[in-house]
Amino acid sequence: MSTATCARFCTPLTSGPAGSTSKLTAGSVTTGSGSGNMTSSYKKKIPSNSTAAAATNDSSTTEATFTFKLGRSNARSSSNVASSESSDPLESDYSEEEEEEPEKDQEPVTNSRSSSTATTTSSSAAGHDHDVDEEEDDDDDDDEEEANGRDGDDVTHDSSESIEDDGNETDDEEDDDDSEESSSVQTAKGVRKYHLDDYQIIKTVGTGTFGRVCLCRDRISEKYCAMKILAMTEVIRLKQIEHVKNERNILREIRHPFVISLEWSTKDESNLYMIFDYVCGGELFTYLRNAGKFTSQTSNFYAAEIVSALEYLHSLQVVYRDLKPENLLINRDGHLKITDFGFAKKLRDRTWTLCGTPEYIAPEIIQSKGHNKAVDWWALGVLIYEMLVGYPPFYDEQPFGIYEKILSGKIEWERHMDPIAKDLIKKLLVNDRTKRLGNMKNGADDVKRHRWFKHLNWNDVYNKKLKPPILPDVHHDGDTKNFDDYPEKDWKPAKAVDQRDLQYFNDF
Ligand SMILES: Nc1ncnc2c1ncn2[C@@H]1O[C@H](COP(=O)(O)OP(=O)(O)OP(=O)(O)O)[C@@H](O)[C@H]1O
């Protein structure tokens, strides 16, 4: 998460000022958003001519709880906008896709891990009855677990049930080890007994909803790493137990040049820890805000690396669900690393969890129709637009306004936008997901074959043979100049959780 990103969770608006919250109700949507912190952090990062979003809270009865991140950049500049066009009305695909999608969505029931989700406690959103909820209950038990969090009757049972329902497995052997602060892991150089003391914490480089990410140094390998430290009390309080476990579990299974690598994870009585490669170039978000917008060529480079990663993730039935410039880190070599798998999920069919970042949410998520990997292709369309234009295609100061715009399908186009890129964006930002590029029968190939990518050799993309448009200004692998400074004394040790609560994380 970046300093520009508001908290991931939507807590009830009535719950107080800390909630970066947003709720949807059948028939009416009430939104609230970011804490002061998040807004001010965000303001720091955007150009002075931009307007930071500062949504205010309101409250009402809610039937659907949306879980997502709020408070992105509001770098909208209307002077850049020349004309507008519409794409398909959202409603038109509602029943149709229910018929068509199973063909594409029927993915093998696998038993490996899962991802994140957000919580949903309701059956409707954006005024549409959530008529698939009954059926989806099974599929979304993990989400229910999250929503119910610590109120579950039986911790052990809850945990295993949600994992099973997700089609995700846990590794019992490893789980046994996980209750300790050390574990043995097979590495390329043989078995290594990892221990938290192996890592010397150097500096905080990012903060998240439940904790922080620190640059640290592995005393054994002498490599720089990023340590994500999550306070268990916060994870429990925000009912994100399954999300966090899913994040770790999915990351443990995947390996791709453009996806962050998880080296090790563990916990103690207070925190969960995930150790990643340290990506010293910082967030693409920062480069984009500093540049205002990217050229078509630069955007094309990053989009290609994302397409490569999405194709890989989707081949593992993993839907990422949080694509945005804040979650794209630039490595020292100029290539991307996708980070923050807090919303990723291993799918066996569709999922109904309402989550994401407002500007990047696909219409089917807002409408609680059940969604699948098509949401990542939608988000890619939003991202390409944002890279080329400098702000996202659907923007409003209030999340609800964003959802209205997404559902309306209206996109304002810059006069001088690359017409081929525009064509791709239009094909990705199709409300009817059965007609959305990437989600049709040829899958990612349709995206890869689009004219905007015509010049690319996709093996070269994967093998990092393309010349990166930006090389971060770093002097050494542990350089932190591309990250904000965080006052280290602000960090108080997290409270230890009791044995009962610790059980929630047995398999972490
Ligand atoms: N491997 C890494 N190398 C360098 N910086 C990183 C790394 N991982 C994360 N960061 C920095 O820390 C920030 C927070 O990380 P991340 O988004 O994973 O945390 P989070 O707790 O999931 O955030 P959120 O609450 O927004 O979901 C990132 O935006 C990034 O700036």
Side-chain angles (χ1 to χ4, degrees):
M1 137 236 63
S2 82
T3 53
T5 308
C6 282
R8 170 183 298 169
F9 310 109
C10 296
T11 52
L13 296 174
T14 48
S15 71
S20 59
T21 70
S22 183
K23 290 181 153 198
L24 293 173
T25 313
S28 73
V29 178
T30 311
T31 60
S33 91
S35 67
N37 269 350
M38 289 188 258
T39 303
S40 59
S41 301
Y42 160 69
K43 277 178 177 166
K44 267 198 295 185
K45 282 204 162 191
I46 58 175
S48 55
N49 62 351
S50 302
T51 312
T56 53
N57 287 351
D58 190 2
S59 64
S60 78
T61 310
T62 305
E63 292 182 15
T65 302
F66 234 36
T67 299
F68 52 85
K69 301 178 185 182
L70 294 176
R72 294 194 70 251
S73 153
N74 176 21
R76 172 165 290 242
S77 158
S78 56
S79 61
N80 290 334
V81 176
S83 64
S84 69
E85 301 177 18
S86 306
S87 60
D88 300 337
L90 187 70
E91 276 69 29
S92 65
D93 64 323
Y94 197 135
S95 54
E96 182 188 3
E97 71 189 4
E98 297 296 312
E99 298 302 317
E100 293 182 19
E101 266 212 325
E103 193 193 329
K104 296 189 289 289
D105 290 341
Q106 269 164 12
E107 291 154 356
V109 178
T110 55
N111 186 26
S112 39
R113 305 213 36 243
S114 122
S115 72
S116 79
T117 58
T119 62
T120 179
T121 56
S122 85
S123 62
S124 70
H128 293 275
D129 287 343
H130 191 180
D131 57 357
V132 287
D133 260 355
E134 302 303 319
E135 210 184 313
E136 81 212 17
D137 281 348
D138 281 353
D139 193 51
D140 257 347
D141 274 2
D142 60 333
D143 302 334
E144 297 296 336
E145 298 299 340
E146 292 163 38
N148 296 325
R150 58 190 303 166
D151 297 332
D153 295 336
D154 178 310
V155 171
T156 310
H157 175 69
D158 285 351
S159 174
S160 58
E161 193 173 71
S162 69
I163 288 161
E164 205 175 282
D165 286 341
D166 247 351
N168 299 305
E169 54 82 28
T170 56
D171 182 335
D172 289 341
E173 270 176 50
E174 212 168 320
D175 293 342
D176 291 343
D177 287 348
D178 283 345
S179 58
E180 307 184 30
E181 293 164 45
S182 65
S183 60
S184 298
V185 177
Q186 179 71 46
T187 69
K189 293 181 182 161
V191 175
R192 171 169 170 190
K193 176 91 174 160
Y194 281 85
H195 194 279
L196 268 179
D197 290 344
D198 295 346
Y199 298 95
Q200 177 204 353
I201 293 180
I202 299 170
K203 189 180 191 302
T204 301
V205 293
T207 55
T209 314
F210 335 92
R212 55 182 173 146
V213 175
C214 300
L215 168 69
C216 58
R217 188 139 202 206
D218 182 341
R219 294 188 168 96
I220 312 291
S221 67
E222 299 192 336
K223 250 181 52 185
Y224 288 100
C225 316
M227 179 187 282
K228 189 165 172 173
I229 307 172
L230 311 174
M232 275 185 273
T233 49
E234 288 304 286
V235 174
I236 295 168
R237 188 176 69 79
L238 295 164
K239 297 176 177 162
Q240 297 297 307
I241 299 166
E242 290 305 317
H243 282 181
V244 168
K245 292 200 287 193
N246 288 342
E247 176 176 15
R248 193 281 307 247
N249 289 340
I250 284 191
L251 284 165
R252 200 169 56 168
E253 283 195 355
I254 60 183
R255 202 137 286 257
H256 188 275
F258 309 129
V259 174
I260 195 80
S261 298
L262 176 69
E263 179 158 332
W264 181 57
S265 61
T266 191
K267 65 176 180 291
D268 58 20
E269 71 283 356
S270 310
N271 294 307
L272 305 171
Y273 302 88
M274 286 185 266
I275 312 286
F276 299 98
D277 287 352
Y278 175 62
V279 186
C280 61
E283 299 169 18
L284 186 72
F285 181 90
T286 309
Y287 295 88
L288 180 56
R289 288 295 174 268
N290 287 340
K293 55 176 125 170
F294 289 156
T295 63
S296 187
Q297 206 181 354
T298 297
S299 307
N300 186 281
F301 171 88
Y302 295 124
E305 297 200 335
I306 292 158
V307 169
S308 172
L310 289 183
E311 181 182 37
Y312 166 77
L313 293 172
H314 292 173
S315 75
L316 299 175
Q317 319 309 334
V318 171
V319 57
Y320 173 61
R321 301 199 295 187
D322 206 11
L323 190 59
K324 57 180 178 178
E326 295 92 320
N327 286 340
L328 302 170
L329 301 178
I330 301 193
N331 220 341
R332 193 171 185 184
D333 61 8
H335 293 276
L336 283 187
K337 289 278 184 192
I338 302 180
T339 186
D340 197 355
F341 276 64
F343 282 149
K345 177 163 185 163
K346 193 143 193 172
L347 291 181
R348 61 180 177 193
D349 191 353
R350 275 171 292 174
T351 184
W352 280 263
T353 305
L354 308 178
C355 67
T357 296
E359 288 89 337
Y360 279 74
I361 282 180
E364 62 267 26
I365 299 180
I366 298 170
Q367 293 179 305
S368 296
K369 286 173 161 185
H371 59 271
N372 66 356
K373 58 197 181 214
V375 301
D376 287 336
W377 296 117
W378 173 277
L380 177 69
V382 176
L383 179 73
I384 296 172
Y385 182 103
E386 182 166 350
M387 287 193 289
L388 290 167
V389 177
Y391 51 82
F394 309 105
Y395 182 72
D396 193 271
E397 291 204 350
Q398 297 287 343
F400 182 47
I402 296 171
Y403 308 140
E404 282 184 319
K405 285 177 178 151
I406 292 169
L407 295 177
S408 81
K410 283 190 186 148
I411 302 170
E412 294 173 332
W413 298 100
E414 263 198 338
R415 190 176 288 123
H416 300 298
M417 189 177 218
D418 177 340
I420 303 173
K422 178 176 170 181
D423 181 75
L424 174 59
I425 294 167
K426 284 168 82 173
K427 286 174 172 150
L428 292 166
L429 297 183
V430 170
N431 281 349
D432 180 349
R433 62 190 161 189
T434 67
K435 299 186 174 76
R436 191 175 304 156
L437 213 63
N439 193 44
M440 294 185 285
K441 75 176 186 324
N442 296 323
D445 276 345
D446 284 337
V447 179
K448 291 162 76 177
R449 283 199 289 255
H450 186 273
R451 280 177 302 151
W452 197 48
F453 295 124
K454 202 174 70 185
H455 60 290
L456 292 180
N457 174 323
W458 286 95
N459 284 330
D460 288 350
V461 172
Y462 179 88
N463 291 313
K464 297 185 170 180
K465 296 221 171 109
L466 305 193
K467 187 160 177 266
I470 298 170
L471 280 181
D473 178 19
V474 283
H475 295 123
H476 62 100
D477 287 344
D479 202 332
T480 57
K481 70 196 297 186
N482 293 299
F483 293 91
D484 287 345
D485 287 322
Y486 299 86
E488 301 296 338
K489 60 176 170 18
D490 283 0
W491 302 107
K492 297 192 178 69
K495 278 210 318 232
V497 296
D498 60 29
Q499 280 306 314
R500 178 179 174 272
D501 285 348
L502 202 57
Q503 285 185 73
Y504 288 119
F505 304 98
N506 272 350
D507 56 352
F508 192 97

